[in-house]
Amino acid sequence: MNDCIFCKIVNKEIPAERVYEDEKVLVFLDINPINQGHLLVIPKDHYETILETPENVLQDVILRVKKMAQVVDKISDGVNIGQNNKLAAGQLVNHLHFHIIPRNENDGLVSWPGKEYESEDERLKMAEEIKKIVKEVEEENP
Ligand code: 5GP
Ligand code: ZN
């Protein structure tokens, strides 16, 4: 049995304010909006995070993400697109979703705070480590 709340929305087992759908993708209002008009874009098939989602599914989803950003842009001054993966990153619903968040001048939301590298050496080491992992990931996912 699939206990996923977003699968239940896809299957109309629980209600949602559906604003767009096609064969592959569903868009509905987030029930607790950061700002009014906050949308969630999801694939109709269940994938937990972006990490294991097939590329063809992501292609379908990201094109609808752009379309919905164009929609939200018409009702706001700017648009944030957010996507959380795993609990540590704030993912509470384990069905891939993109947040499309309307933003307005002086809407009171703060951006992510930036940290600093302690030294240039630390920054360069981080870049080297990441470049190594990029190669590893490319080898694992040719
Ligand atoms: P996450 O933290 O996983 O990135 O975001 C999950 C989002 O789903 C939250 O913004 C939350 O408000 C929204 N959400 C959770 N349950 C429901 C629901 O039953 N219906 C709708 N429309 N949104 C939901
Ligand atoms: Zn699901």
Side-chain angles (χ1 to χ4, degrees), residues 117 123-137:
Y117 286 100
R123 196 176 68 241
L124 294 177
K125 269 195 197 141
M126 188 78 250
E128 285 311 313
E129 189 182 337
I130 295 283
K131 283 194 274 186
K132 224 169 76 194
I133 301 172
V134 168
K135 287 210 180 85
E136 279 172 31
V137 167

Side-chain angles (χ1 to χ4, degrees), residues 34-84:
I34 291 175
N35 276 328
Q36 287 196 9
H38 177 170
L39 304 177
L40 297 172
V41 180
I42 68 169
K44 287 189 169 176
D45 290 338
H46 181 92
Y47 300 98
E48 278 200 24
T49 75
I50 200 168
L51 302 168
E52 67 282 347
T53 303
E55 289 178 5
N56 64 319
V57 175
L58 278 177
Q59 282 167 354
D60 288 332
V61 173
I62 202 69
L63 293 178
R64 277 50 163 203
V65 165
K66 179 179 179 184
K67 190 198 294 278
M68 293 305 130
Q70 289 170 325
V71 170
V72 164
D73 181 60
K74 290 194 183 289
I75 58 163
S76 62
D77 301 327
V79 185
N80 282 139
I81 295 171
Q83 203 277 309
N84 301 329

Side-chain angles (χ1 to χ4, degrees), residues 103-110:
R103 293 298 307 273
N104 290 300
E105 306 287 350
N106 307 316
D107 63 12
L109 295 177
V110 287

Side-chain angles (χ1 to χ4, degrees), residues 10-27:
V10 169
N11 296 327
K12 300 190 174 163
E13 291 165 39
I14 63 170
E17 308 309 327
R18 305 160 85 102
V19 296
Y20 172 88
E21 73 181 285
D22 56 36
E23 198 191 335
K24 307 275 186 196
V25 175
L26 175 64
V27 185

Side-chain angles (χ1 to χ4, degrees), residues 87-135:
L87 192 56
Q91 183 176 16
L92 298 178
V93 177
N94 292 326
H95 181 130
L96 174 72
H97 53 280
F98 284 78
H99 297 261
I100 315 290
I101 303 162
R103 293 298 307 273
N104 290 300
E105 306 287 350
N106 307 316
D107 63 12
L109 295 177
V110 287
S111 302
W112 290 341
K115 294 180 180 166
E116 284 182 11
Y117 286 100
E118 275 176 16
S119 63
E120 187 183 350
D121 189 46
E122 193 188 42
R123 196 176 68 241
L124 294 177
K125 269 195 197 141
M126 188 78 250
E128 285 311 313
E129 189 182 337
I130 295 283
K131 283 194 274 186
K132 224 169 76 194
I133 301 172
V134 168
K135 287 210 180 85

